[in-house]
Amino acid sequence: MNLHADERVPELTVLLSVLSLAAVFGAVLGAIPASILPRAPAGAVDAIPHVNAVLSTAGLVTIPLAVRAIRRGNVGRHRSLMITTLGLFAGFLVLYLYRIILRGPSSFGGPDAVYQFVYLPTLGVHILLAIVCIPLLYYVALLAATRPVAAIRDSLHSRVGRVAASLWFVSFLLGDVVYALLYLVY
C-alpha cells in the first residue's frame, strides 16, 4: 500500500477538513466541554475578538500581496505570504474556538432590524465562506507542500487557489464587518 502524501492529496484534504469542521461545530454547538481547556484571565479572553480582528485585517493584506507576488512570478514571496496567511487563519481559529468554548457566541446588541437584515446575513455568508474555504485551503496547501514548484504548475493549485483566495478574502472582510457590528457600532 502506497502512503505517499503527494498521491493522497484528495484523501488528506477530506480527512483534515472533516477533523477541522468537527472541531468548529463541536465548539459552536457546545459539544466540547470548557473544563478540558486551561483558563486564561478574563481580560485575555475579552481581548480575543479584538486580536482576531487584527488577524483578519492582516489576512486582508497578505492575500492580495501573495496574489500579486505569484502574478509577478515570485514563487518564494507567494509561498511565504500564503504560509503567513495560513498562520493568521490558524491563530484566528484557535482563539475563536477557545473563546466560543469558554463563553459561547457573542450576542448582538443593536436594533432588531439591523440584526435581521444586516448582521445575520453578513454573519451567515461569512460562516458559509469560511466552511467552504477549509477544504479548498487544505487542498491547495497540500498540493504546494507535496510537490516541487514545477509540478505545482501542472496541478489544480492555481485554479483552486484563485477561488480559495477570493473566498478567503471575502470571508476575512465579512468577519471584520461582523466584528465592527458587534464591538464598534453596537
PDB file of all heavy atoms in Angstrom, residues 120-156:
ATOM      1  N   LEU A 120     -27.244  39.270  10.603  1.00  0.00           N
ATOM      2  CA  LEU A 120     -27.410  37.830  10.317  1.00  0.00           C
ATOM      3  C   LEU A 120     -27.006  37.450   8.895  1.00  0.00           C
ATOM      4  O   LEU A 120     -26.298  36.451   8.712  1.00  0.00           O
ATOM      5  CB  LEU A 120     -28.839  37.380  10.612  1.00  0.00           C
ATOM      6  CG  LEU A 120     -29.160  37.075  12.070  1.00  0.00           C
ATOM      7  CD1 LEU A 120     -30.599  36.591  12.217  1.00  0.00           C
ATOM      8  CD2 LEU A 120     -28.206  36.067  12.670  1.00  0.00           C
ATOM      9  N   PRO A 121     -27.421  38.206   7.854  1.00  0.00           N
ATOM     10  CA  PRO A 121     -26.963  37.830   6.506  1.00  0.00           C
ATOM     11  C   PRO A 121     -25.441  37.921   6.355  1.00  0.00           C
ATOM     12  O   PRO A 121     -24.829  37.040   5.744  1.00  0.00           O
ATOM     13  CB  PRO A 121     -27.663  38.835   5.587  1.00  0.00           C
ATOM     14  CG  PRO A 121     -28.849  39.294   6.355  1.00  0.00           C
ATOM     15  CD  PRO A 121     -28.437  39.262   7.803  1.00  0.00           C
ATOM     16  N   THR A 122     -24.843  38.948   6.944  1.00  0.00           N
ATOM     17  CA  THR A 122     -23.385  39.093   6.864  1.00  0.00           C
ATOM     18  C   THR A 122     -22.703  37.937   7.581  1.00  0.00           C
ATOM     19  O   THR A 122     -21.764  37.327   7.053  1.00  0.00           O
ATOM     20  CB  THR A 122     -22.949  40.440   7.474  1.00  0.00           C
ATOM     21  OG1 THR A 122     -23.618  41.498   6.790  1.00  0.00           O
ATOM     22  CG2 THR A 122     -21.444  40.634   7.358  1.00  0.00           C
ATOM     23  N   LEU A 123     -23.170  37.635   8.782  1.00  0.00           N
ATOM     24  CA  LEU A 123     -22.609  36.516   9.538  1.00  0.00           C
ATOM     25  C   LEU A 123     -22.807  35.196   8.800  1.00  0.00           C
ATOM     26  O   LEU A 123     -21.885  34.373   8.720  1.00  0.00           O
ATOM     27  CB  LEU A 123     -23.263  36.448  10.926  1.00  0.00           C
ATOM     28  CG  LEU A 123     -22.804  35.318  11.840  1.00  0.00           C
ATOM     29  CD1 LEU A 123     -21.323  35.447  12.177  1.00  0.00           C
ATOM     30  CD2 LEU A 123     -23.650  35.304  13.117  1.00  0.00           C
ATOM     31  N   GLY A 124     -23.989  35.002   8.229  1.00  0.00           N
ATOM     32  CA  GLY A 124     -24.273  33.763   7.507  1.00  0.00           C
ATOM     33  C   GLY A 124     -23.350  33.552   6.320  1.00  0.00           C
ATOM     34  O   GLY A 124     -22.801  32.464   6.127  1.00  0.00           O
ATOM     35  N   VAL A 125     -23.158  34.595   5.527  1.00  0.00           N
ATOM     36  CA  VAL A 125     -22.253  34.478   4.366  1.00  0.00           C
ATOM     37  C   VAL A 125     -20.819  34.267   4.837  1.00  0.00           C
ATOM     38  O   VAL A 125     -20.078  33.454   4.268  1.00  0.00           O
ATOM     39  CB  VAL A 125     -22.389  35.710   3.444  1.00  0.00           C
ATOM     40  CG1 VAL A 125     -21.344  35.679   2.334  1.00  0.00           C
ATOM     41  CG2 VAL A 125     -23.798  35.783   2.854  1.00  0.00           C
ATOM     42  N   HIS A 126     -20.416  34.990   5.875  1.00  0.00           N
ATOM     43  CA  HIS A 126     -19.070  34.821   6.437  1.00  0.00           C
ATOM     44  C   HIS A 126     -18.843  33.366   6.856  1.00  0.00           C
ATOM     45  O   HIS A 126     -17.829  32.762   6.509  1.00  0.00           O
ATOM     46  CB  HIS A 126     -18.889  35.769   7.622  1.00  0.00           C
ATOM     47  CG  HIS A 126     -17.721  35.451   8.486  1.00  0.00           C
ATOM     48  ND1 HIS A 126     -16.416  35.570   8.058  1.00  0.00           N
ATOM     49  CD2 HIS A 126     -17.653  35.001   9.768  1.00  0.00           C
ATOM     50  CE1 HIS A 126     -15.597  35.212   9.031  1.00  0.00           C
ATOM     51  NE2 HIS A 126     -16.329  34.854  10.081  1.00  0.00           N
ATOM     52  N   ILE A 127     -19.794  32.800   7.587  1.00  0.00           N
ATOM     53  CA  ILE A 127     -19.666  31.416   8.059  1.00  0.00           C
ATOM     54  C   ILE A 127     -19.656  30.435   6.881  1.00  0.00           C
ATOM     55  O   ILE A 127     -18.833  29.518   6.832  1.00  0.00           O
ATOM     56  CB  ILE A 127     -20.790  31.083   9.060  1.00  0.00           C
ATOM     57  CG1 ILE A 127     -20.580  31.855  10.361  1.00  0.00           C
ATOM     58  CG2 ILE A 127     -20.868  29.588   9.321  1.00  0.00           C
ATOM     59  CD1 ILE A 127     -21.757  31.794  11.314  1.00  0.00           C
ATOM     60  N   LEU A 128     -20.558  30.638   5.937  1.00  0.00           N
ATOM     61  CA  LEU A 128     -20.611  29.752   4.768  1.00  0.00           C
ATOM     62  C   LEU A 128     -19.290  29.776   3.998  1.00  0.00           C
ATOM     63  O   LEU A 128     -18.751  28.719   3.643  1.00  0.00           O
ATOM     64  CB  LEU A 128     -21.772  30.156   3.847  1.00  0.00           C
ATOM     65  CG  LEU A 128     -21.918  29.342   2.571  1.00  0.00           C
ATOM     66  CD1 LEU A 128     -22.247  27.893   2.899  1.00  0.00           C
ATOM     67  CD2 LEU A 128     -22.993  29.943   1.689  1.00  0.00           C
ATOM     68  N   LEU A 129     -18.761  30.963   3.758  1.00  0.00           N
ATOM     69  CA  LEU A 129     -17.486  31.059   3.038  1.00  0.00           C
ATOM     70  C   LEU A 129     -16.349  30.424   3.831  1.00  0.00           C
ATOM     71  O   LEU A 129     -15.483  29.753   3.259  1.00  0.00           O
ATOM     72  CB  LEU A 129     -17.162  32.516   2.719  1.00  0.00           C
ATOM     73  CG  LEU A 129     -18.043  33.186   1.683  1.00  0.00           C
ATOM     74  CD1 LEU A 129     -17.651  34.646   1.511  1.00  0.00           C
ATOM     75  CD2 LEU A 129     -17.998  32.453   0.354  1.00  0.00           C
ATOM     76  N   ALA A 130     -16.353  30.622   5.143  1.00  0.00           N
ATOM     77  CA  ALA A 130     -15.308  30.013   5.968  1.00  0.00           C
ATOM     78  C   ALA A 130     -15.366  28.492   5.878  1.00  0.00           C
ATOM     79  O   ALA A 130     -14.331  27.832   5.767  1.00  0.00           O
ATOM     80  CB  ALA A 130     -15.452  30.482   7.415  1.00  0.00           C
ATOM     81  N   ILE A 131     -16.568  27.938   5.893  1.00  0.00           N
ATOM     82  CA  ILE A 131     -16.724  26.478   5.792  1.00  0.00           C
ATOM     83  C   ILE A 131     -16.271  25.984   4.424  1.00  0.00           C
ATOM     84  O   ILE A 131     -15.558  24.984   4.318  1.00  0.00           O
ATOM     85  CB  ILE A 131     -18.184  26.069   6.082  1.00  0.00           C
ATOM     86  CG1 ILE A 131     -18.503  26.290   7.565  1.00  0.00           C
ATOM     87  CG2 ILE A 131     -18.449  24.629   5.674  1.00  0.00           C
ATOM     88  CD1 ILE A 131     -19.972  26.171   7.909  1.00  0.00           C
ATOM     89  N   VAL A 132     -16.656  26.689   3.370  1.00  0.00           N
ATOM     90  CA  VAL A 132     -16.272  26.298   2.005  1.00  0.00           C
ATOM     91  C   VAL A 132     -14.764  26.418   1.824  1.00  0.00           C
ATOM     92  O   VAL A 132     -14.148  25.597   1.141  1.00  0.00           O
ATOM     93  CB  VAL A 132     -17.029  27.153   0.967  1.00  0.00           C
ATOM     94  CG1 VAL A 132     -16.465  26.968  -0.427  1.00  0.00           C
ATOM     95  CG2 VAL A 132     -18.520  26.831   0.988  1.00  0.00           C
ATOM     96  N   CYS A 133     -14.160  27.421   2.448  1.00  0.00           N
ATOM     97  CA  CYS A 133     -12.717  27.648   2.286  1.00  0.00           C
ATOM     98  C   CYS A 133     -11.862  26.543   2.888  1.00  0.00           C
ATOM     99  O   CYS A 133     -10.779  26.262   2.375  1.00  0.00           O
ATOM    100  CB  CYS A 133     -12.321  28.979   2.920  1.00  0.00           C
ATOM    101  SG  CYS A 133     -12.708  30.406   1.919  1.00  0.00           S
ATOM    102  N   ILE A 134     -12.333  25.930   3.947  1.00  0.00           N
ATOM    103  CA  ILE A 134     -11.488  24.962   4.657  1.00  0.00           C
ATOM    104  C   ILE A 134     -10.970  23.855   3.731  1.00  0.00           C
ATOM    105  O   ILE A 134      -9.756  23.667   3.623  1.00  0.00           O
ATOM    106  CB  ILE A 134     -12.192  24.420   5.917  1.00  0.00           C
ATOM    107  CG1 ILE A 134     -12.213  25.528   6.965  1.00  0.00           C
ATOM    108  CG2 ILE A 134     -11.516  23.170   6.452  1.00  0.00           C
ATOM    109  CD1 ILE A 134     -12.953  25.203   8.233  1.00  0.00           C
ATOM    110  N   PRO A 135     -11.818  23.123   3.009  1.00  0.00           N
ATOM    111  CA  PRO A 135     -11.246  22.089   2.127  1.00  0.00           C
ATOM    112  C   PRO A 135     -10.440  22.672   0.971  1.00  0.00           C
ATOM    113  O   PRO A 135      -9.445  22.077   0.546  1.00  0.00           O
ATOM    114  CB  PRO A 135     -12.471  21.317   1.629  1.00  0.00           C
ATOM    115  CG  PRO A 135     -13.649  22.170   1.915  1.00  0.00           C
ATOM    116  CD  PRO A 135     -13.283  23.066   3.044  1.00  0.00           C
ATOM    117  N   LEU A 136     -10.847  23.821   0.464  1.00  0.00           N
ATOM    118  CA  LEU A 136     -10.089  24.441  -0.628  1.00  0.00           C
ATOM    119  C   LEU A 136      -8.680  24.808  -0.164  1.00  0.00           C
ATOM    120  O   LEU A 136      -7.695  24.577  -0.876  1.00  0.00           O
ATOM    121  CB  LEU A 136     -10.805  25.688  -1.148  1.00  0.00           C
ATOM    122  CG  LEU A 136     -12.185  25.486  -1.768  1.00  0.00           C
ATOM    123  CD1 LEU A 136     -12.818  26.824  -2.125  1.00  0.00           C
ATOM    124  CD2 LEU A 136     -12.107  24.571  -2.980  1.00  0.00           C
ATOM    125  N   LEU A 137      -8.581  25.363   1.029  1.00  0.00           N
ATOM    126  CA  LEU A 137      -7.272  25.758   1.557  1.00  0.00           C
ATOM    127  C   LEU A 137      -6.400  24.544   1.835  1.00  0.00           C
ATOM    128  O   LEU A 137      -5.204  24.552   1.528  1.00  0.00           O
ATOM    129  CB  LEU A 137      -7.443  26.606   2.818  1.00  0.00           C
ATOM    130  CG  LEU A 137      -8.118  27.951   2.603  1.00  0.00           C
ATOM    131  CD1 LEU A 137      -8.381  28.634   3.931  1.00  0.00           C
ATOM    132  CD2 LEU A 137      -7.309  28.829   1.687  1.00  0.00           C
ATOM    133  N   TYR A 138      -6.987  23.504   2.422  1.00  0.00           N
ATOM    134  CA  TYR A 138      -6.207  22.289   2.643  1.00  0.00           C
ATOM    135  C   TYR A 138      -5.713  21.726   1.311  1.00  0.00           C
ATOM    136  O   TYR A 138      -4.554  21.311   1.196  1.00  0.00           O
ATOM    137  CB  TYR A 138      -7.030  21.218   3.367  1.00  0.00           C
ATOM    138  CG  TYR A 138      -7.075  21.395   4.864  1.00  0.00           C
ATOM    139  CD1 TYR A 138      -8.286  21.355   5.544  1.00  0.00           C
ATOM    140  CD2 TYR A 138      -5.913  21.570   5.605  1.00  0.00           C
ATOM    141  CE1 TYR A 138      -8.331  21.496   6.930  1.00  0.00           C
ATOM    142  CE2 TYR A 138      -5.954  21.713   6.988  1.00  0.00           C
ATOM    143  CZ  TYR A 138      -7.156  21.679   7.638  1.00  0.00           C
ATOM    144  OH  TYR A 138      -7.205  21.819   8.999  1.00  0.00           O
ATOM    145  N   TYR A 139      -6.583  21.712   0.323  1.00  0.00           N
ATOM    146  CA  TYR A 139      -6.212  21.141  -0.969  1.00  0.00           C
ATOM    147  C   TYR A 139      -5.028  21.886  -1.592  1.00  0.00           C
ATOM    148  O   TYR A 139      -4.030  21.265  -1.966  1.00  0.00           O
ATOM    149  CB  TYR A 139      -7.420  21.148  -1.915  1.00  0.00           C
ATOM    150  CG  TYR A 139      -7.155  20.479  -3.230  1.00  0.00           C
ATOM    151  CD1 TYR A 139      -7.066  19.093  -3.316  1.00  0.00           C
ATOM    152  CD2 TYR A 139      -6.982  21.223  -4.389  1.00  0.00           C
ATOM    153  CE1 TYR A 139      -6.810  18.469  -4.528  1.00  0.00           C
ATOM    154  CE2 TYR A 139      -6.727  20.607  -5.607  1.00  0.00           C
ATOM    155  CZ  TYR A 139      -6.642  19.226  -5.665  1.00  0.00           C
ATOM    156  OH  TYR A 139      -6.392  18.610  -6.864  1.00  0.00           O
ATOM    157  N   VAL A 140      -5.121  23.218  -1.689  1.00  0.00           N
ATOM    158  CA  VAL A 140      -4.029  23.962  -2.329  1.00  0.00           C
ATOM    159  C   VAL A 140      -2.765  23.927  -1.476  1.00  0.00           C
ATOM    160  O   VAL A 140      -1.654  23.848  -2.021  1.00  0.00           O
ATOM    161  CB  VAL A 140      -4.424  25.418  -2.679  1.00  0.00           C
ATOM    162  CG1 VAL A 140      -5.513  25.438  -3.727  1.00  0.00           C
ATOM    163  CG2 VAL A 140      -4.822  26.228  -1.480  1.00  0.00           C
ATOM    164  N   ALA A 141      -2.918  23.947  -0.147  1.00  0.00           N
ATOM    165  CA  ALA A 141      -1.736  23.876   0.715  1.00  0.00           C
ATOM    166  C   ALA A 141      -1.054  22.514   0.596  1.00  0.00           C
ATOM    167  O   ALA A 141       0.182  22.434   0.534  1.00  0.00           O
ATOM    168  CB  ALA A 141      -2.129  24.158   2.165  1.00  0.00           C
ATOM    169  N   LEU A 142      -1.851  21.445   0.545  1.00  0.00           N
ATOM    170  CA  LEU A 142      -1.263  20.110   0.395  1.00  0.00           C
ATOM    171  C   LEU A 142      -0.606  19.926  -0.969  1.00  0.00           C
ATOM    172  O   LEU A 142       0.461  19.306  -1.069  1.00  0.00           O
ATOM    173  CB  LEU A 142      -2.327  19.034   0.622  1.00  0.00           C
ATOM    174  CG  LEU A 142      -2.764  18.846   2.071  1.00  0.00           C
ATOM    175  CD1 LEU A 142      -4.033  18.014   2.154  1.00  0.00           C
ATOM    176  CD2 LEU A 142      -1.644  18.213   2.894  1.00  0.00           C
ATOM    177  N   LEU A 143      -1.218  20.471  -2.009  1.00  0.00           N
ATOM    178  CA  LEU A 143      -0.572  20.413  -3.324  1.00  0.00           C
ATOM    179  C   LEU A 143       0.775  21.129  -3.280  1.00  0.00           C
ATOM    180  O   LEU A 143       1.772  20.619  -3.786  1.00  0.00           O
ATOM    181  CB  LEU A 143      -1.462  21.049  -4.398  1.00  0.00           C
ATOM    182  CG  LEU A 143      -2.653  20.235  -4.872  1.00  0.00           C
ATOM    183  CD1 LEU A 143      -3.509  21.058  -5.835  1.00  0.00           C
ATOM    184  CD2 LEU A 143      -2.216  18.938  -5.533  1.00  0.00           C
ATOM    185  N   ALA A 144       0.784  22.311  -2.681  1.00  0.00           N
ATOM    186  CA  ALA A 144       2.019  23.088  -2.620  1.00  0.00           C
ATOM    187  C   ALA A 144       3.078  22.408  -1.756  1.00  0.00           C
ATOM    188  O   ALA A 144       4.265  22.456  -2.072  1.00  0.00           O
ATOM    189  CB  ALA A 144       1.730  24.485  -2.085  1.00  0.00           C
ATOM    190  N   ALA A 145       2.638  21.768  -0.678  1.00  0.00           N
ATOM    191  CA  ALA A 145       3.587  21.152   0.253  1.00  0.00           C
ATOM    192  C   ALA A 145       4.144  19.827  -0.238  1.00  0.00           C
ATOM    193  O   ALA A 145       5.209  19.404   0.207  1.00  0.00           O
ATOM    194  CB  ALA A 145       2.908  20.946   1.611  1.00  0.00           C
ATOM    195  N   THR A 146       3.455  19.178  -1.169  1.00  0.00           N
ATOM    196  CA  THR A 146       3.864  17.823  -1.573  1.00  0.00           C
ATOM    197  C   THR A 146       4.479  17.752  -2.966  1.00  0.00           C
ATOM    198  O   THR A 146       4.775  16.662  -3.440  1.00  0.00           O
ATOM    199  CB  THR A 146       2.657  16.856  -1.523  1.00  0.00           C
ATOM    200  OG1 THR A 146       1.642  17.312  -2.420  1.00  0.00           O
ATOM    201  CG2 THR A 146       2.111  16.742  -0.114  1.00  0.00           C
ATOM    202  N   ARG A 147       4.658  18.899  -3.606  1.00  0.00           N
ATOM    203  CA  ARG A 147       5.171  18.894  -4.972  1.00  0.00           C
ATOM    204  C   ARG A 147       6.264  19.937  -5.157  1.00  0.00           C
ATOM    205  O   ARG A 147       6.219  20.996  -4.532  1.00  0.00           O
ATOM    206  CB  ARG A 147       4.042  19.214  -5.955  1.00  0.00           C
ATOM    207  CG  ARG A 147       3.073  18.072  -6.109  1.00  0.00           C
ATOM    208  CD  ARG A 147       1.766  18.497  -6.767  1.00  0.00           C
ATOM    209  NE  ARG A 147       0.922  17.357  -7.084  1.00  0.00           N
ATOM    210  CZ  ARG A 147       0.341  16.573  -6.194  1.00  0.00           C
ATOM    211  NH1 ARG A 147       0.522  16.772  -4.927  1.00  0.00           N
ATOM    212  NH2 ARG A 147      -0.424  15.559  -6.573  1.00  0.00           N
ATOM    213  N   PRO A 148       7.197  19.661  -6.050  1.00  0.00           N
ATOM    214  CA  PRO A 148       8.142  20.712  -6.425  1.00  0.00           C
ATOM    215  C   PRO A 148       7.402  21.807  -7.212  1.00  0.00           C
ATOM    216  O   PRO A 148       6.327  21.571  -7.768  1.00  0.00           O
ATOM    217  CB  PRO A 148       9.175  19.992  -7.298  1.00  0.00           C
ATOM    218  CG  PRO A 148       8.553  18.701  -7.686  1.00  0.00           C
ATOM    219  CD  PRO A 148       7.464  18.399  -6.713  1.00  0.00           C
ATOM    220  N   VAL A 149       7.968  22.995  -7.254  1.00  0.00           N
ATOM    221  CA  VAL A 149       7.316  24.139  -7.894  1.00  0.00           C
ATOM    222  C   VAL A 149       6.894  23.824  -9.324  1.00  0.00           C
ATOM    223  O   VAL A 149       5.775  24.144  -9.739  1.00  0.00           O
ATOM    224  CB  VAL A 149       8.236  25.382  -7.855  1.00  0.00           C
ATOM    225  CG1 VAL A 149       7.659  26.519  -8.677  1.00  0.00           C
ATOM    226  CG2 VAL A 149       8.438  25.825  -6.417  1.00  0.00           C
ATOM    227  N   ALA A 150       7.742  23.175 -10.082  1.00  0.00           N
ATOM    228  CA  ALA A 150       7.404  22.875 -11.480  1.00  0.00           C
ATOM    229  C   ALA A 150       6.168  21.985 -11.582  1.00  0.00           C
ATOM    230  O   ALA A 150       5.339  22.155 -12.479  1.00  0.00           O
ATOM    231  CB  ALA A 150       8.589  22.206 -12.172  1.00  0.00           C
ATOM    232  N   ALA A 151       6.012  21.050 -10.649  1.00  0.00           N
ATOM    233  CA  ALA A 151       4.854  20.150 -10.677  1.00  0.00           C
ATOM    234  C   ALA A 151       3.586  20.855 -10.192  1.00  0.00           C
ATOM    235  O   ALA A 151       2.483  20.500 -10.605  1.00  0.00           O
ATOM    236  CB  ALA A 151       5.127  18.918  -9.825  1.00  0.00           C
ATOM    237  N   ILE A 152       3.739  21.849  -9.345  1.00  0.00           N
ATOM    238  CA  ILE A 152       2.561  22.600  -8.870  1.00  0.00           C
ATOM    239  C   ILE A 152       1.887  23.287 -10.047  1.00  0.00           C
ATOM    240  O   ILE A 152       0.666  23.336 -10.139  1.00  0.00           O
ATOM    241  CB  ILE A 152       2.959  23.624  -7.788  1.00  0.00           C
ATOM    242  CG1 ILE A 152       3.396  22.892  -6.527  1.00  0.00           C
ATOM    243  CG2 ILE A 152       1.790  24.560  -7.469  1.00  0.00           C
ATOM    244  CD1 ILE A 152       3.998  23.801  -5.481  1.00  0.00           C
ATOM    245  N   ARG A 153       2.690  23.784 -10.970  1.00  0.00           N
ATOM    246  CA  ARG A 153       2.134  24.485 -12.131  1.00  0.00           C
ATOM    247  C   ARG A 153       1.280  23.573 -13.002  1.00  0.00           C
ATOM    248  O   ARG A 153       0.395  24.036 -13.697  1.00  0.00           O
ATOM    249  CB  ARG A 153       3.264  25.093 -12.952  1.00  0.00           C
ATOM    250  CG  ARG A 153       3.934  26.220 -12.217  1.00  0.00           C
ATOM    251  CD  ARG A 153       4.993  26.889 -13.023  1.00  0.00           C
ATOM    252  NE  ARG A 153       5.562  27.956 -12.210  1.00  0.00           N
ATOM    253  CZ  ARG A 153       6.815  28.284 -12.186  1.00  0.00           C
ATOM    254  NH1 ARG A 153       7.675  27.680 -12.977  1.00  0.00           N
ATOM    255  NH2 ARG A 153       7.241  29.255 -11.407  1.00  0.00           N
ATOM    256  N   ASP A 154       1.536  22.265 -12.941  1.00  0.00           N
ATOM    257  CA  ASP A 154       0.759  21.305 -13.727  1.00  0.00           C
ATOM    258  C   ASP A 154      -0.433  20.744 -12.949  1.00  0.00           C
ATOM    259  O   ASP A 154      -1.148  19.892 -13.467  1.00  0.00           O
ATOM    260  CB  ASP A 154       1.664  20.140 -14.169  1.00  0.00           C
ATOM    261  CG  ASP A 154       2.765  20.601 -15.106  1.00  0.00           C
ATOM    262  OD1 ASP A 154       2.545  21.589 -15.843  1.00  0.00           O
ATOM    263  OD2 ASP A 154       3.845  19.991 -15.082  1.00  0.00           O
ATOM    264  N   SER A 155      -0.623  21.214 -11.736  1.00  0.00           N
ATOM    265  CA  SER A 155      -1.726  20.715 -10.897  1.00  0.00           C
ATOM    266  C   SER A 155      -2.882  21.713 -10.924  1.00  0.00           C
ATOM    267  O   SER A 155      -2.830  22.737 -11.607  1.00  0.00           O
ATOM    268  CB  SER A 155      -1.243  20.513  -9.456  1.00  0.00           C
ATOM    269  OG  SER A 155      -1.063  21.767  -8.820  1.00  0.00           O
ATOM    270  N   LEU A 156      -3.888  21.437 -10.127  1.00  0.00           N
ATOM    271  CA  LEU A 156      -5.038  22.332  -9.999  1.00  0.00           C
ATOM    272  C   LEU A 156      -4.792  23.454  -8.987  1.00  0.00           C
ATOM    273  O   LEU A 156      -5.702  24.222  -8.689  1.00  0.00           O
ATOM    274  CB  LEU A 156      -6.280  21.541  -9.577  1.00  0.00           C
ATOM    275  CG  LEU A 156      -6.840  20.574 -10.610  1.00  0.00           C
ATOM    276  CD1 LEU A 156      -7.968  19.746  -9.998  1.00  0.00           C
ATOM    277  CD2 LEU A 156      -7.339  21.334 -11.824  1.00  0.00           C
TER     278      LEU A 156
END
